[in-house]
Amino acid sequence: MSEAVTNAIELNSSHIGAWFPFITILIYGVILLKINIKLTKLEMYLTSLFALYLSIITDYVLGMTFQFYEYFDQGGDIWTPITVIPLYVLTNLVFLNLYPFTSSQWKKWIYILVWSLYATVWEWFSVEYTSFFSHDNWKLWYSAVIYPFLYLLILGNLKFIRSNQVGTKK
């Protein structure tokens, strides 16, 4: 096995911080098993792909290109996608399946702001108390400002999907 492959799969002390995202992934899994799923399988699939695409582009530009933040170690390793992919997919699915589609605009905005606050606190905890995520030239308040827009993008993507499905709910 080449040295690059060995380094990519090596589990070192910085990966111990993976407990936090794995616990979050387990909690999201339990939530999804317990709640009434509002999305169709196609909507879950397409919104999850969109969330992953959005995260890949964001992480590439902000994390790798500008080096504002990083997961685990600088550069690539196998543990980052093992934690990040299910984390983004399940966050997307829990957010959308619990979204109050039929509630007032006020409740919808509160929901988005609560999720944005949750994401900001989650990020703060992961930076301060785990080795999963670290800020280099990034400030937590940048994330606090950006999260509502990211959640609106995810909702806009679902609205787009629903408006273009033939023979299903819109």
Side-chain angles (χ1 to χ4, degrees):
M1 198 175 325
S2 75
E3 183 178 346
V5 172
T6 303
N7 290 340
I9 62 173
E10 178 182 45
L11 183 61
N12 60 47
S13 61
S14 73
H15 297 108
I16 302 304
W19 65 269
F20 185 55
F22 279 126
I23 288 172
T24 306
I25 290 164
L26 288 172
I27 291 169
Y28 285 165
V30 169
I31 290 170
L32 287 169
L33 289 173
K34 299 286 184 185
I35 65 172
N36 181 26
I37 301 296
K38 298 176 185 176
L39 305 178
T40 66
K41 289 178 183 176
L42 181 62
E43 290 169 346
M44 288 190 289
Y45 176 74
L46 292 175
T47 59
S48 294
L49 284 178
F50 179 79
L52 283 174
Y53 178 74
L54 187 61
S55 71
I56 289 168
I57 296 301
T58 303
D59 290 345
Y60 178 78
V61 172
L62 298 178
M64 294 177 74
T65 303
F66 294 112
Q67 298 179 344
F68 287 149
Y69 58 81
E70 61 191 1
Y71 298 98
F72 296 120
D73 297 320
Q74 182 80 27
D77 64 31
I78 194 67
W79 302 105
T80 299
I82 286 173
T83 52
V84 171
I85 290 172
L87 189 61
Y88 282 141
V89 167
L90 294 174
T91 301
N92 169 67
L93 294 176
V94 171
F95 171 77
L96 289 174
N97 276 293
L98 294 177
Y99 184 77
F101 290 103
T102 59
S103 295
S104 68
Q105 284 299 114
W106 174 251
K107 286 185 180 178
K108 291 176 182 178
W109 279 108
I110 294 295
Y111 183 81
I112 291 168
L113 291 176
V114 167
W115 267 88
S116 299
L117 177 63
Y118 161 73
T120 303
V121 170
W122 194 97
E123 181 178 326
W124 169 80
F125 187 87
S126 69
V127 168
E128 292 297 320
Y129 296 104
T130 76
S131 57
F132 172 67
F133 192 65
S134 63
H135 290 163
D136 295 330
N137 298 309
W138 190 257
K139 306 290 183 219
L140 187 63
W141 71 267
Y142 300 168
S143 297
V145 170
I146 290 171
Y147 280 129
F149 295 104
L150 292 176
Y151 287 121
L152 287 170
L153 275 173
I154 289 170
L155 285 167
N157 179 59
L158 178 61
K159 185 176 181 177
F160 174 77
I161 292 166
R162 287 183 171 174
S163 71
N164 286 290
Q165 289 183 16
V166 178
T168 60
K169 64 180 176 182
K170 291 190 178 185

